[in-house]
Amino acid sequence: MNKKDYYEVLGVSKNASDEEIKRAFRKLAKQYHPDINKEAGAEEKFKEIGEAYAVLSDKQKRATYDQFGHAAFDNAGASGGFSGFDAGDIDLSEILRAAFGDSFGGFSGFSDFFGGSTRANSNRPRKGRDTLLRIDLSFLESAFGVDKDIELSLNETCDNCHGKGGFDEVSCSYCNGSGYVISEQRSLFGVVQSRSVCPKCGGNGKTFKKECNVCNGTGQVKKKKTISIHIPEGVMDGHQLKISRKGASGINGGENGDIYIECRVKESDFYHRDNADLYIEVPISITKAILGGKVEVPTIYGNVYMDIKPGTQNNTKYKLKGKGLKVVNSLRKGDEYVIIKVIIPNKLTKEQKNLFEQLNQTNLETNSEFSNFKKYL
């Protein structure tokens, strides 16, 4: 099921300021708060605007969403984006306080909309964080593709505690094993309950008699990892590749995150690129332009000879079909366009000058265009 665009959910433009986003959320939160709006669908709408605000009010999450959309957070219904965003981790009471201040209070049932209690969400398997890498490529590497080994540091499950974070589990004494704490608060909607994740056990309902000294209780450790990637032929600057499940390890047995590769392609010294087409300027002598003949032209596949027609003018464009770049994930290739640059000599010998003077006189006498022009003189 496709999600609505977060900006559309809040009714703001993509260049909306933080204040405009907060103002839109406040208006919609009042309109669809389940304690106020009993209409069918109000709870789902409230969940939707809460999720949208949770992303767009966070600069890092918003930047990731602007670049990758919902794909940066989605994982078969459970989000796991670059910043670790998960719909189940949303605490609406904190969001509401950020938008309204303490006068708003919280809504105890909000986390249930995302799939159960706070504790259940904390204990379920969650996808690991995604990783964004930028890789530099030469022009020819982007043209023909390349295999590269990349070294990076990723969170891996701690082998010492098997990802639990400690040893000898006991029920959390702070929340009595529930994973959350509840408080009541008076607001403009009356007395509402605010439920938040237990600060001691992090919503697990369990603590350990002994914390793991390898991962310091986190259940994960940083490890260096080398991955092999294949850059396909024809990638452009800014092209993005996704390597599924090669990123950071998941939480509570969840699958690994994804790795996104962003290609940064160096410009060619000879070619100008327009998608899959290439443009190159080729100099020829003035005599070659006048008389025509063959000229050697470089392509990324090797030099070829091209016929120049007699009387070729400066900036004439020729096309070499199929000599451009390959279109990514396609068998089609672009073309190479050759722009002719006629070179005018700076110095002439006496003999050459005489020949050009004779040529000039002949052109003035035989050139029909010049003859027509003389009528206006």
Side-chain angles (χ1 to χ4, degrees), residues 245-266:
R245 301 180 185 87
K246 293 292 185 180
S249 62
I251 300 172
N252 298 326
E255 66 181 20
N256 285 20
D258 303 320
I259 296 177
Y260 290 84
I261 307 292
E262 183 178 300
C263 299
R264 296 190 296 193
V265 180
K266 184 179 179 181

Side-chain angles (χ1 to χ4, degrees), residues 75-120:
N75 177 31
S79 301
F82 294 101
S83 56
F85 172 73
D86 192 312
D89 292 335
I90 292 178
D91 182 355
L92 183 60
S93 62
E94 295 301 321
I95 295 176
L96 293 178
R97 284 194 188 94
F100 290 88
D102 290 334
S103 63
F104 194 96
F107 177 62
S108 61
F110 184 76
S111 53
D112 291 333
F113 299 159
F114 289 99
S117 69
T118 305
R119 179 179 174 184

Side-chain angles (χ1 to χ4, degrees), residues 67-354:
Q67 187 170 11
F68 297 100
H70 289 294
F73 301 109
D74 289 344
N75 177 31
S79 301
F82 294 101
S83 56
F85 172 73
D86 192 312
D89 292 335
I90 292 178
D91 182 355
L92 183 60
S93 62
E94 295 301 321
I95 295 176
L96 293 178
R97 284 194 188 94
F100 290 88
D102 290 334
S103 63
F104 194 96
F107 177 62
S108 61
F110 184 76
S111 53
D112 291 333
F113 299 159
F114 289 99
S117 69
T118 305
R119 179 179 174 184
N121 282 331
S122 298
N123 288 326
R124 80 166 185 270
R126 286 184 286 169
K127 178 184 175 184
R129 292 193 178 197
D130 294 340
T131 303
L132 174 64
L133 295 177
R134 292 181 175 86
I135 184 171
D136 294 321
L137 301 173
S138 69
F139 173 75
L140 290 180
E141 284 177 331
S142 73
F144 296 108
V146 64
D147 293 319
K148 285 184 176 286
D149 290 332
I150 298 178
E151 188 178 88
L152 64 163
S153 293
L154 294 173
N155 285 334
E156 296 284 345
T157 301
C158 178
D159 294 330
N160 189 48
C161 65
H162 305 291
K164 292 185 176 181
F167 308 93
D168 300 328
E169 279 187 349
V170 293
S171 180
C172 177
S173 59
Y174 192 84
C175 64
N176 296 319
S178 67
Y180 57 88
V181 291
I182 297 176
S183 61
E184 290 187 349
Q185 192 172 21
R186 187 175 298 278
S187 73
L188 57 90
F189 296 109
V191 177
V192 293
Q193 288 185 331
S194 174
R195 182 168 64 178
S196 58
V197 175
C198 175
K200 186 173 182 179
C201 67
N204 291 318
K206 301 286 185 181
T207 57
F208 300 98
K209 290 183 179 179
K210 182 182 178 182
E211 185 181 88
C212 177
N213 59 4
V214 175
C215 65
N216 296 319
T218 64
Q220 295 187 330
V221 292
K222 283 278 188 183
K223 290 184 179 179
K224 286 188 177 181
K225 186 176 181 180
T226 300
I227 61 169
S228 297
I229 63 172
H230 174 70
I231 306 296
E233 298 175 63
V235 296
M236 298 181 63
D237 186 61
H239 185 91
Q240 294 166 354
L241 305 170
K242 178 182 177 182
I243 305 174
S244 300
R245 301 180 185 87
K246 293 292 185 180
S249 62
I251 300 172
N252 298 326
E255 66 181 20
N256 285 20
D258 303 320
I259 296 177
Y260 290 84
I261 307 292
E262 183 178 300
C263 299
R264 296 190 296 193
V265 180
K266 184 179 179 181
E267 291 185 2
S268 169
D269 293 332
F270 305 101
Y271 299 100
H272 168 70
R273 178 173 183 171
D274 182 11
N275 293 320
D277 294 330
L278 295 176
Y279 289 77
I280 187 172
E281 293 183 352
V282 173
I284 64 172
S285 66
I286 191 170
T287 53
K288 180 78 72 175
I290 294 171
L291 301 176
K294 291 187 178 294
V295 62
E296 190 174 9
V297 178
T299 77
I300 60 174
Y301 309 102
N303 291 359
V304 299
Y305 283 92
M306 185 180 73
D307 288 325
I308 297 294
K309 296 178 181 179
T312 292
Q313 303 297 308
N314 192 44
N315 291 323
T316 298
K317 181 167 69 175
Y318 288 87
K319 181 170 78 171
L320 297 176
K321 189 172 180 59
K323 295 299 183 180
L325 297 166
K326 184 177 179 181
V327 178
V328 178
N329 300 323
S330 169
L331 296 177
R332 189 175 71 83
K333 289 183 178 179
D335 303 316
E336 179 175 323
Y337 291 92
V338 180
I339 310 300
I340 297 300
K341 292 297 180 181
V342 180
I343 303 301
I344 307 296
N346 293 324
K347 295 181 179 180
L348 296 174
T349 65
K350 187 175 181 180
E351 291 78 7
Q352 290 172 332
K353 188 175 180 180
N354 289 334

Side-chain angles (χ1 to χ4, degrees), residues 40-58:
E43 290 184 355
E44 283 302 314
K45 182 66 176 179
F46 193 56
K47 162 193 166 181
E48 190 175 59
I49 64 174
E51 183 177 331
Y53 183 71
V55 172
L56 299 184
S57 63
D58 184 294

